[in-house]
Amino acid sequence: MIQLTDATITVNDSPVAVMPDSVTFTEGLGEQTMRAASTGGGNVEVIYSNDLSTGFATIKFDMPSVIEYIEEVKNWKQAGNSNTVSISGEAGSDSITRTFSKAALTMDYEVALGPDGVISVEFKALPST
């Protein structure tokens, strides 16, 4: 096995320059809960359920704070939830691709200025395909 370290990120079919080691994502499978229901005599039955309110994916990465990227992130924010984010990569003979549709920057992004400044981007989207 080889660790995946160099993934390609695209937003709306355009490649994105990201800072190394900054990319994370969730598949969008949501959270589940378990609770007990008493069946008498000290016995319980387990009730398992999906929390549908958490059934969305999250994609996070940092970008350098250069003017072109600041404008690009602004366009993504203004596009609402009409963005599509893809993550793909190879590690040896293995590969992975995840595509997230209806992606939106739900939080106001922050632009850090300075020689090491980054823009931290966080999309919420439909579960990956």
Side-chain angles (χ1 to χ4, degrees):
M1 287 187 208
I2 299 174
Q3 182 76 27
L4 177 61
T5 58
D6 186 23
T8 299
I9 310 294
T10 63
V11 177
N12 303 327
D13 296 320
S14 296
V16 176
V18 298
M19 301 303 295
D21 300 328
S22 71
V23 179
T24 65
F25 69 92
T26 64
E27 300 279 1
L29 301 177
E31 297 176 11
Q32 292 71 38
T33 60
M34 292 182 68
R35 59 190 177 130
S38 173
T39 57
N43 298 312
V44 295
E45 187 172 292
V46 175
I47 307 298
Y48 174 90
S49 63
N50 286 311
D51 182 352
L52 298 179
S53 69
T54 63
F56 52 85
T58 302
I59 308 97
K60 299 179 188 179
F61 54 86
D62 293 338
M63 302 172 66
S65 296
V66 299
I67 292 173
E68 292 85 359
Y69 300 153
I70 294 169
E71 293 301 319
E72 193 168 30
V73 173
K74 182 179 178 181
N75 290 334
W76 299 339
K77 178 71 172 174
Q78 292 174 333
N81 71 337
S82 65
N83 299 292
T84 300
V85 180
S86 292
I87 300 172
S88 60
E90 295 179 2
S93 62
D94 295 325
S95 65
I96 187 171
T97 299
R98 295 293 188 267
T99 301
F100 305 90
S101 60
K102 300 288 184 185
L105 296 175
T106 57
M107 298 175 55
D108 201 3
Y109 57 91
E110 183 175 282
V111 179
L113 302 180
D116 295 323
V118 298
I119 309 165
S120 294
V121 175
E122 180 177 332
F123 282 100
K124 301 275 190 210
L126 289 177
S128 66
T129 58

